[in-house]
Amino acid sequence: MPKNKTHSGAKKRFRVTGSGKVMREQAGHVHKFHEKTPQKARALSKDVLVSTGDLKKVKKLLGR
């Protein structure tokens, strides 16, 4: 029986915590920091939970 492969793009963008939650990075934290306040840049650097509407799809891509 063949094994399911993890989606290459998804494994780079999402991570699963020990308790099973799926985390993602926030958009807008790559460049153009001269337009953002330091407080905004720090807030964008934190990971957030994947929304419940996308959770089923993301878990499938990750093979969970």
Side-chain angles (χ1 to χ4, degrees):
M1 189 70 192
K3 295 180 180 177
N4 288 328
K5 291 192 176 180
T6 303
H7 191 277
S8 310
K11 70 183 175 188
K12 296 170 190 173
R13 289 171 172 84
F14 304 104
R15 65 184 178 84
V16 182
T17 63
S19 60
K21 296 175 185 170
V22 182
M23 306 294 285
R24 66 169 175 84
E25 290 187 359
Q26 295 196 70
H29 190 259
V30 179
H31 52 74
K32 294 180 88 171
F33 287 106
H34 59 92
E35 296 177 5
K36 298 173 180 120
T37 63
Q39 293 85 353
K40 183 69 174 173
R42 273 199 309 277
L44 287 172
S45 72
K46 305 227 179 353
D47 289 357
V48 292
L49 289 170
V50 172
S51 66
T52 53
D54 298 327
L55 196 56
K56 188 176 176 184
K57 176 76 172 178
V58 171
K59 281 193 170 182
K60 184 179 180 202
L61 290 172
L62 293 173
R64 292 185 172 255

